[in-house]
Amino acid sequence: MDDREPAPRSERGHRSVPHTADLRVEAWAPTAEGCIGELVHAVVGSFADLSGARIVGERACTVLAVSDPDLLAGVLEEVIYRMDADGELPAELALGPIQGLDGARSVEVRFRMADTSTAALVGAVPKAVSLHGLELGGAPGGWTCAVTVDV
């Protein structure tokens, strides 16, 4: 298998892709929710090691969007917001099923949060999610997604 091809879509995984001055991450999983979770895990893991971080609680939110790619961006924006506003990062997350509502999309997200000050920083901290090149789509073999994060 070529280094530029993701693993078979029946598996889940992620990889960083070279991108000028920003972080570009691609992920894949059998479900859309799994793909979003894998991408969040990859983005957080690109700049923080949470293995020794202190868990501070659980948080929940509903993310609303007009499309699946915008739903992906909304979940990542929630992660960046909670890091900036509350000093917390998701050590774990669980997504409910993506729902459709009058042309909109929504997903319930539960985060198990870690105190950012107890995490080891290992890379550039993200500042925002770029809407350029944002992808979340399914095919018979599974789902893929990609995002560029401004660092």
Side-chain angles (χ1 to χ4, degrees):
M1 181 183 309
D2 174 325
D3 285 344
R4 298 195 43 93
E5 293 180 19
R9 291 188 189 164
S10 61
E11 300 174 17
R12 66 175 49 226
H14 62 268
R15 67 181 177 163
S16 295
V17 180
H19 194 275
T20 307
D22 292 319
L23 171 66
R24 177 87 176 155
V25 178
E26 297 175 348
W28 53 94
T31 66
E33 297 84 0
C35 199
I36 293 171
E38 187 67 30
L39 194 84
V40 169
H41 174 72
V43 169
V44 171
S46 74
F47 70 93
D49 177 358
L50 301 178
S51 61
R54 182 174 55 86
I55 301 300
V56 293
E58 291 194 7
R59 312 285 180 252
C61 68
T62 300
V63 176
L64 301 170
V66 296
S67 68
D68 286 343
D70 289 340
L71 204 57
L72 169 64
V75 172
L76 284 170
E77 287 168 350
E78 183 71 18
V79 169
I80 293 169
Y81 169 77
R82 290 190 183 268
M83 178 183 61
D84 289 342
D86 302 328
E88 299 176 352
L89 284 169
E92 298 174 20
L93 74 151
L95 287 89
I98 294 174
Q99 304 288 325
L101 176 67
D102 296 329
R105 309 292 279 157
S106 69
V107 67
E108 298 286 329
V109 186
R110 295 194 59 76
F111 298 104
R112 186 166 181 247
M113 303 302 281
D115 181 346
T116 304
S117 69
T118 63
L121 292 181
V122 296
V125 176
K127 296 179 180 127
V129 176
S130 173
L131 299 180
H132 179 72
L134 186 62
E135 301 171 21
L136 175 61
W143 286 76
T144 60
C145 56
V147 68
T148 301
V149 180
D150 300 331
V151 293

